[in-house]
Amino acid sequence: MEILHSVTLDVEKCKGCTTCIKHCPTEAIRVRRGKAQILSQRCIDCGQCVRVCPHHAKKVVCDPFDMLKDFEYKIALPAPSFYGQFKNINDVNIILGGLLKIGFDSVFEVSKAAEMLSDLTRKTIKEPKDMRRPVISSACPAAVRLIRMRYPNLVENVMPQIAPVELAAILSRKQAAAETGLSPDKIGVFFITPCPAKVTGARYPIGGMPRVIDGAFSMTAIYKKIVGVINETEEPEALSSSGIMGIGWAVTGGESAALLNDTHLAVDGIENIKKVLEDIEDGRLPEIEFVELNACTQGCVGGCLTVENPYIAKTRIKRLMKYLPVSRNKFESGVGNKNLVTWDNQLKYSPVWRLGEDTTDALEKLNKINELYESLPGLDCASCGAPSCKAFAEDIVLGIASEEDCIFRMRERMQYLSGMGDADSYLPPPFRKSGEAQK
Ligand code: SF4
Ligand code: SF4
């Protein structure tokens, strides 16, 4: 299925500088004819390329705010990381009240649903037979997509459970329908998201569940709308109903801390995630029962749609949590039905690096790739438009690049054709194989 990614390229702004291709964790970007291209199948919407592009050519496409007018009743689902974006605010209720001032009819905190799910996970994790260990959290869609595409041995470790925002959408729509008498399709449920992976996740829920979120708005866009209308000195309406355990999900370690045991591991940053997943595959973490993964640094507060530096946002979240109760929500009383939060299907391996139709074909291609790779300079200079010589060799064998795209290859060929002999002396000094080193 071709999916509509939230991370896209502004072709006009792209200078073809190749900065982004080196930072993409799934080697999903190529530069061709002076412009970057995202290979859709490989993109996990992690937002790394958005962060690093010096020309702001990579952008995140969220839903437009005027979608609100398509619904009779509008519900905002703020992610807990939203609370860390505001300075001089010491009460979450002021922020939630601001959402009502800009056009929402009610708010349902994602942290409230997170607390309910944490309560459920605390109980299920005690059942040793239920799941393969370590259990891997399914909350970060970028991390889950990475596992689905690169770690076939770990797909069964991923907890088959919907994300807090999906539970918040289901519960809030149900509650609003009961309170207003409106049919559920007249009620719009909108997520205020810190990252592009969750925009795509709202459109295409992982785990085969039906879509439950009507739109996802960038946290930055909503911040700009409400920062001017909230008043830090006002006496706010009591709208918040979550505690430390739910709001703590905003930062790395918050989800696992809510499990109240010490056999968990919380990992942030996509490169760290890759290392830990390899360690799990190699059986190096036998004592760990639960692994929380956050593709962004410091967790969701580090998402590329946030306003504030993640470290500052984290400090503010901690300050806001100071006077809150530990938890205000239980799974049994808030949801009750485990089937409502369990995926219809266990996560499946989705190979995007499949080389051939069958094993023989794939092995043949793999041999060609290795052979070709040996003959390339091995400099990973990216001037061919691929992130590494290995990726370039794959592209050639898969028919999406040609050997002449390598400047070293091309130079050699031109020298040969013009009868000028060995090309070595025409290469830039760092890449020459012969000649004396300078004394
Ligand atoms: S970083 Fe990528 S998207 Fe940005 S200008 Fe360079 S090649 Fe284009
Ligand atoms: S969003 Fe992430 S996975 Fe997608 S192209 Fe950018 S860096 Fe690569």
Side-chain angles (χ1 to χ4, degrees):
M1 178 183 65
E2 191 64 29
I3 71 168
L4 180 65
H5 286 279
S6 52
V7 174
T8 56
L9 177 79
D10 184 333
V11 180
E12 292 298 311
K13 287 186 179 167
C14 178
K15 306 272 187 242
C17 66
T18 73
T19 305
C20 56
I21 64 176
K22 286 281 191 185
H23 289 83
C24 174
T26 58
E27 298 192 327
I29 311 175
R30 301 291 182 272
V31 173
R32 299 277 182 259
R33 291 176 290 281
K35 302 286 177 190
Q37 294 172 357
I38 300 175
L39 306 176
S40 172
Q41 289 280 318
R42 295 186 182 187
C43 177
I44 57 171
D45 290 292
C46 66
Q48 282 290 90
C49 56
V50 179
R51 290 187 184 92
V52 300
C53 176
H55 306 286
H56 307 291
K58 288 277 172 41
K59 56 183 186 175
V60 183
V61 178
C62 296
D63 292 304
F65 191 67
D66 66 3
M67 265 185 95
L68 288 191
K69 68 176 170 14
D70 299 337
F71 297 89
E72 285 185 33
Y73 189 88
K74 287 83 70 178
I75 306 168
L77 310 178
S81 46
F82 192 48
Y83 307 148
Q85 309 307 309
F86 300 84
K87 57 177 165 195
N88 302 327
I89 297 285
N90 55 16
D91 187 344
V92 167
N93 288 306
I94 297 176
I95 300 164
L96 300 180
L99 291 168
L100 300 185
K101 289 180 187 169
I102 62 165
F104 292 102
D105 297 297
S106 67
V107 291
F108 192 105
E109 296 174 277
V110 173
S111 48
K112 179 179 168 120
E115 255 171 36
M116 293 173 191
L117 290 175
S118 285
D119 184 43
L120 175 67
T121 308
R122 260 196 310 277
K123 288 164 191 150
T124 51
I125 203 110
K126 287 188 185 139
E127 293 299 326
K129 293 184 294 311
D130 267 13
M131 281 204 64
R132 266 173 60 172
R133 305 291 153 137
V135 174
I136 300 176
S137 162
S138 54
C140 173
V144 174
R145 285 200 202 103
L146 181 72
I147 292 171
R148 192 171 61 181
M149 136 188 341
R150 286 186 75 147
Y151 300 90
N153 300 330
L154 299 182
V155 288
E156 284 179 35
N157 293 60
V158 175
M159 188 157 56
Q161 184 168 287
I162 63 174
V165 66
E166 291 169 309
L167 178 59
I170 294 168
L171 296 179
S172 62
R173 195 187 300 274
K174 199 170 157 204
Q175 184 183 316
E179 283 170 11
T180 62
L182 289 168
S183 69
D185 60 313
K186 301 254 186 301
I187 298 166
V189 180
F190 300 96
F191 181 33
I192 297 162
T193 175
C195 73
K198 290 185 176 178
V199 179
T200 309
R203 292 177 191 151
Y204 310 98
I206 295 170
M209 304 298 270
R211 180 175 177 168
V212 290
I213 300 164
D214 295 298
F217 301 143
S218 136
M219 198 165 271
T220 307
I222 301 300
Y223 170 84
K224 285 180 185 160
K225 282 182 188 296
I226 76 167
V227 72
V229 301
I230 57 175
N231 177 354
E232 66 215 51
T233 59
E234 71 187 271
E235 189 58 45
E237 187 185 341
L239 296 165
S240 176
S241 57
S242 42
I244 291 172
M245 278 187 181
I247 293 179
W249 277 58
V251 296
T252 200
E255 180 188 1
S256 41
L259 298 182
L260 305 176
N261 71 32
D262 56 3
T263 55
H264 61 252
L265 192 68
V267 188
D268 65 334
I270 206 99
E271 290 307 320
N272 294 331
I273 287 179
K274 283 160 86 174
K275 283 192 198 106
V276 166
L277 291 175
E278 279 154 28
D279 283 348
I280 297 173
E281 271 191 329
D282 295 346
R284 285 198 214 117
L285 303 173
E287 72 280 26
I288 300 296
E289 280 205 285
F290 182 83
V291 180
E292 172 191 333
L293 302 176
N294 290 288
C296 298
T297 305
Q298 295 295 314
C300 294
V301 286
C304 71
L305 297 177
T306 58
V307 179
E308 196 48 274
N309 171 313
Y311 297 93
I312 294 176
K314 183 178 171 183
T315 305
R316 289 184 188 154
I317 299 262
K318 280 194 172 160
R319 200 176 57 225
L320 281 168
M321 293 194 308
K322 217 166 168 185
Y323 301 106
L324 293 179
V326 174
S327 174
R328 295 161 82 178
N329 299 282
K330 294 277 177 222
F331 184 78
E332 282 309 322
S333 51
V335 187
N337 180 1
K338 200 175 162 188
N339 291 337
L340 189 74
V341 300
T342 307
W343 287 345
D344 289 345
N345 306 307
Q346 174 64 50
L347 193 70
K348 288 202 174 56
Y349 176 42
S350 161
V352 294
W353 278 273
R354 201 197 296 266
L355 291 175
E357 288 308 311
D358 52 48
T359 321
T360 317
D361 186 26
L363 271 175
E364 222 168 83
K365 286 193 173 123
L366 186 64
N367 287 336
K368 274 190 197 159
I369 289 168
N370 289 336
E371 214 173 278
L372 198 53
Y373 173 58
E374 289 300 317
S375 73
L376 290 170
L379 299 166
D380 296 340
C381 68
S383 55
C384 60
S388 62
C389 291
K390 187 77 183 217
F392 179 54
E394 278 171 20
D395 288 355
I396 295 169
V397 171
L398 293 175
I400 58 170
S402 96
E403 280 193 55
E404 273 69 42
D405 294 339
C406 169
I407 56 163
F408 298 95
R409 275 296 167 83
M410 194 175 67
R411 204 183 296 241
E412 280 170 15
R413 194 167 164 75
M414 282 169 71
Q415 293 302 316
Y416 174 77
L417 289 174
S418 62
M420 292 172 76
D422 187 5
D424 198 48
S425 57
Y426 294 91
L427 290 172
F431 306 132
R432 286 181 203 152
K433 294 192 179 71
S434 55
E436 276 189 40
Q438 258 192 338
K439 302 207 168 92

